Amino acid sequence: MFYKTIFLVFLLSVPDANAQQTDSIAKIDTTANHHLKFNYKQLIIPGALIGYGVIGLESDQLLSFNSQIKKEVTEDIDQKVTIDDFSRYTPAASVYALNAFGVKGKNNFRDRSVIFVTSYVIMATTVLSLKSIVKEERPDGSSNNSFPSGHTATAFAGAEFLWQEYKDKSIWYGIAGYAVATGTGLFRIYNNRHWLTDVAAGAGIGILSTKLAYWMNPYITKKIFKSSSETNSTSMIMPFYNGHQYGLSFVKVF
């Protein structure tokens, strides 16, 4: 049953190249601003994942499925793995790592950082709000903030970020990011920290948060940076949340 679940989650989470808007590759410079155009078809996958998670809060059938997975996890798996605490950050970090090694993405540092921060704020706000409202008990009984999975949301927000920035270079960048994000969600189930419905909803929220960030980016950039030619430096405050602590990091580019 657990292995069927792995296949199900991976199938739902791999990006569909035909469902994405194709953006032309342009020379990256300090004023480049490539944004994702709205298309309702882009809402299908995240909407289905969030819908599955929400319905699963009340559906007897889905709740029973959650319990079956928990039973198999607790019976057959003894050792917990904490890789999900780190893998959730890997897709987003890969965007900056690839650029540092000379693989240019769709947007310059300033614009992709604005997109990243916007996505993270949307995702974190949504996840924390739902956790405080729903108050679902975790499979291991440790707390009542199981729905949705914040680790999974973080990982899938980063995976969509990696996909959007590098899909024009190679779809394999995006596929790799989504594979890591899927693994993160599965490890949350493996470690008995989340139900399948929590992971599905977290994945949908993460994907949708990044899509919203790309759609909002032209407006945000216009408001924050009225004229990119007026200054040679860019400053930015980037919030972060690691599951237990909040913080801010300061970035300045000269």
Side-chain angles (χ1 to χ4, degrees):
M1 180 69 69
F2 184 66
Y3 301 104
K4 291 181 180 178
T5 303
I6 291 177
F7 176 75
L8 171 65
V9 176
F10 184 76
L11 180 63
L12 287 173
S13 62
V14 171
D16 181 358
N18 293 326
Q20 302 289 340
Q21 283 286 340
T22 301
D23 299 303
S24 60
I25 302 176
K27 181 180 179 181
I28 305 297
D29 56 34
T30 57
T31 60
N33 182 18
H34 305 272
H35 60 275
L36 180 67
K37 294 182 179 179
F38 176 80
N39 185 332
Y40 73 92
K41 292 181 180 179
Q42 296 165 1
L43 301 175
I44 294 175
I45 291 178
L49 290 168
I50 295 171
Y52 178 87
V54 172
I55 293 171
L57 292 172
E58 299 294 338
S59 169
D60 292 337
Q61 184 175 358
L62 295 183
L63 288 173
S64 176
F65 188 38
N66 280 343
S67 298
Q68 291 177 38
I69 296 172
K70 175 186 175 180
K71 183 178 179 181
E72 183 160 346
V73 167
T74 54
E75 285 183 354
D76 300 338
I77 301 174
D78 298 323
Q79 185 177 2
K80 305 304 179 184
V81 181
T82 59
I83 191 174
D84 46 306
D85 288 333
F86 306 98
S87 63
R88 56 177 162 164
Y89 300 119
T90 301
S94 297
V95 174
Y96 292 93
L98 285 168
N99 192 260
F101 282 103
V103 184
K104 300 298 183 182
K106 182 184 297 181
N107 290 287
N108 59 43
F109 179 87
R110 186 198 72 185
D111 292 327
R112 69 171 170 269
S113 295
V114 171
I115 291 168
F116 173 73
V117 172
T118 304
S119 170
Y120 198 93
V121 169
I122 294 171
M123 179 273 297
T125 301
T126 303
V127 168
L128 294 176
S129 297
L130 288 173
K131 282 180 179 292
S132 64
I133 293 171
V134 177
K135 299 183 184 300
E136 182 186 39
E137 185 178 17
R138 290 184 184 271
D140 62 3
S142 61
S143 61
N144 293 321
N145 61 350
S146 188
F147 182 90
S149 170
H151 281 63
T152 308
T154 300
F156 274 84
E160 179 66 15
F161 182 42
L162 179 61
W163 167 253
Q164 292 297 336
E165 287 297 311
Y166 285 99
K167 65 181 179 178
D168 292 328
K169 293 289 185 180
S170 172
I171 64 171
W172 291 106
Y173 290 120
I175 291 174
Y178 268 91
V180 171
T182 300
T184 300
L186 293 175
F187 274 117
R188 297 307 285 165
I189 298 173
Y190 180 98
N191 290 328
N192 203 29
R193 294 290 289 163
H194 281 290
W195 309 100
L196 175 61
T197 45
D198 302 336
V199 169
I205 291 170
I207 295 170
L208 185 58
S209 295
T210 298
K211 288 186 181 295
L212 287 172
Y214 273 92
W215 293 333
M216 296 166 60
N217 182 246
Y219 174 80
I220 293 174
T221 301
K222 183 178 179 180
K223 289 295 182 180
I224 297 177
F225 308 102
K226 295 182 182 299
S227 175
S228 60
S229 62
E230 293 177 359
T231 178
N232 293 323
S233 65
T234 299
S235 299
M236 184 179 304
I237 297 177
M238 302 174 65
F240 69 85
Y241 174 68
N242 63 9
H244 301 284
Q245 299 172 318
Y246 299 89
L248 292 173
S249 59
F250 180 75
V251 178
K252 187 174 182 66
V253 181
F254 298 92

